[in-house]
Each structure stands twice: as C-alpha cells, then as structure tokens.
Amino acid sequence: MRVSFPLSKWIPNFPLNKQSFYQHKHSLRLTMAGAIAVSIAFITTFSIFLQGMEVRAATFDITNQCPYTVWAAASPGGGQQLDQGQTWTIDVAKGTTQGKIWGRTGCSFDASGRGSCQTGDCNGMLSCQGFGQVPATLAEYSLNQYQNFDFYDISLVDGFNVPLSMTPTSTNPNCMGRITCLSDIISMCPAELKVNGGCKSACARYNTAQYCCTGASANNCGPTNYSKFFKGQCPQAFSYAKDDATSTFPCPTGTNYKVVFCDEADSLPGIYLYITINIKE
C-alpha cells in the first residue's frame, strides 16, 4: 500500500477530537449482592466485547454481479468461487495492516482445490496463500494507520481483468466513500498490453525502471502514455506506482467494506468480459 500524500488533503480537521466511551459514573446505590451481580454481568459482557475486538479488524463482503463466474481471492483470506449474485464474507484478523482482494477468471479446480486460472491465478490454488498473477484489478487496504484511519484504493498497477467497486460502510464525513473502476478496459487495451482475459500494465509487460518506478527513476517517476490510458478509464484508480495523490482514500479505523465485481452501476464491461471469456478461439 502506498501512502505518501498529506492526510490534510482529505482530512482537513486533523487531529480529530475523540470522546471517552465512559464519561459518567453510577449514581445508584446497590446492595452488596446486587453490586456483585452487576459486576459479574459487566465483566462478562465486556470480556465478550474484547474478544470480538481481538477476533477481527474489519469485515469485507465480496459480491459477484458479473454475468459469469468469478473466483474471488483475498490475501489474507483465501479464495472462493462466486457465481452471479453470490457473496463471500471474510473477517480480517485484528493486527492485519495490509491486504488485497481481486477476482480470478477462466478457472478450473479439482475436488482438492488445485487447478489454474486464466487471470489472477495464485499458485494454482482455490484458496490463495499469496498474491495473484498479472493481470488483475486489485482492491487494496491498509488498516489502523496514522491517527486511527484506514486507507483503501483500487490499483491497476498489475493491470486489469475484472471491473470492480470498493465501498466503505462508514457514513463519517471524513470517509471518502465508494470508489470504482468499471470501464471496459479490455476492449480498448493497447495491443501490446492485451492478453487473454485481461490487459497488463506497462510495468507488468516490460518490467523497466521507467514503467515500474524503480532504481534511479524511483524518486522522479511520472506518468507515461500507458499509465495515462488506465487513468483515463478509471480516474480513481492507481495507474502507476507513484499515483498516490489521486488514488488513495481514507476512512476511520473500524469501518467494514464491500467489494463488488461488475457493480450494477455499469454492466457493459461485465457483459463484454462474459463474451470474451466464453468465446473459444
């Protein structure tokens, strides 16, 4: 995850004032037996609350609205086949700081969960244990960062394979809200970047310092014609490694998130991909 721009760009009121959860005192007089009973009930309830806090940092609901099957993947989290309309929910463990979610297409797995995918494959496993192969549209997150904020983004640094949206559940005004990459990138992909089922980024295709912002180019890396193509199609998404200022968004820590493949707001990319994936060459 890349966070290099001033937080005041999105959060002008830093630092935020925080209120205590407990600001009042009990005013009722209790008998000794009653006090003990209340104390036990409180301790039990509070222990359950703390256990819940220990179990997870955030919940992600991942839904497939594409007119074809998507094999969702998450690191951490694993993977699951999602037919149209199905949702997979993952609870990210407390202490997790970063993660990625993406869709895989053209997959085939046996009963043991071994196989392969045309795009986004993660070592031939249904339940991913690492990151996937390019090209893949990524929904990325960093949890519990500076001043108790999460940061989330959609990345095309590894290319594009499935249109998606990412939406935090928080209504806090300091939360950016829904971000999307729903354009029909595959049909417009430059020929030299196009592969079956997807569109590679220039970094993934050529692996040079200029396109990957590595080596001597790291500090002064700027957009290229290829990254401008991706940015033109999905203005909210990372188009190259240094594209932080317009592509990373904040939300208060404790927020849950929704990731939707082929969001209902734009079904044309999903229909095109369905045709592409199901045509046998």
Side-chain angles (χ1 to χ4, degrees):
M1 178 67 76
R2 304 151 291 262
V3 179
S4 63
F5 65 93
L7 291 177
S8 59
K9 172 180 175 63
W10 290 111
I11 312 170
N13 297 320
F14 262 99
L16 299 176
N17 293 324
K18 293 182 172 59
Q19 297 180 348
S20 171
F21 283 107
Y22 306 101
Q23 294 179 337
H24 63 277
K25 297 180 179 179
H26 292 287
S27 60
L28 298 178
R29 295 182 178 180
L30 302 173
T31 63
M32 183 62 71
I36 293 173
V38 170
S39 297
I40 293 174
F42 174 80
I43 292 171
T44 301
T45 301
F46 194 64
S47 297
I48 294 172
F49 171 77
L50 289 178
Q51 290 173 7
M53 292 293 288
E54 290 295 326
V55 169
R56 68 174 184 85
T59 295
F60 290 81
D61 291 329
I62 306 165
T63 301
N64 177 27
Q65 295 293 356
C66 300
Y68 53 89
T69 299
V70 173
W71 287 261
S75 181
Q80 183 166 311
Q81 177 179 325
L82 294 178
D83 295 328
Q84 186 177 19
Q86 291 184 327
T87 296
W88 173 41
T89 299
I90 59 174
D91 292 324
V92 176
K94 185 178 180 181
T96 301
T97 56
Q98 296 182 347
K100 303 176 188 287
I101 296 168
W102 69 99
R104 294 168 288 175
T105 61
C107 301
S108 178
F109 295 101
D110 60 22
S112 68
R114 301 290 305 186
S116 63
C117 297
Q118 186 180 64
T119 65
D121 185 75
C122 44
N123 298 317
M125 300 176 66
L126 172 61
S127 182
C128 293
Q129 303 301 313
F131 297 138
Q133 296 180 1
V134 300
T137 316
L138 301 176
E140 301 180 314
Y141 59 87
S142 289
L143 303 178
N144 196 19
Q145 301 296 304
Y146 180 70
Q147 293 277 358
N148 296 319
F149 268 77
D150 298 344
F151 294 90
Y152 62 102
D153 68 82
I154 295 173
S155 175
L156 303 179
V157 173
D158 288 339
F160 174 96
N161 68 333
V162 180
L164 62 80
S165 68
M166 189 173 188
T167 307
T169 59
S170 176
T171 58
N172 188 302
N174 290 313
C175 187
M176 174 61 187
R178 179 175 177 265
I179 59 174
T180 67
C181 181
L182 302 174
S183 180
D184 185 6
I185 287 180
I186 294 179
S187 68
M188 295 176 282
C189 181
E192 59 272 28
L193 303 181
K194 186 174 290 189
V195 296
N196 289 334
C199 183
K200 283 188 174 183
S201 66
C203 175
R205 171 67 176 82
Y206 298 109
N207 194 28
T208 63
Q210 176 190 9
Y211 294 128
C212 297
C213 296
T214 56
S217 301
N219 293 330
N220 299 312
C221 186
T224 66
N225 288 338
Y226 288 123
S227 69
K228 290 178 181 178
F229 160 74
F230 285 103
K231 197 67 174 179
Q233 297 303 312
C234 291
Q236 292 179 312
F238 265 90
S239 59
Y240 70 104
K242 297 293 184 178
D243 196 12
D244 302 78
T246 60
S247 309
T248 303
F249 305 99
C251 208
T253 292
T255 298
N256 298 320
Y257 297 84
K258 297 179 181 179
V259 175
V260 180
F261 302 121
C262 301
D263 200 325
E264 293 178 350
D266 190 345
S267 60
L268 290 179
I271 294 173
Y272 175 82
L273 284 172
Y274 174 78
I275 296 172
T276 302
I277 292 170
N278 286 278
I279 290 178
K280 297 185 180 299
E281 298 182 354

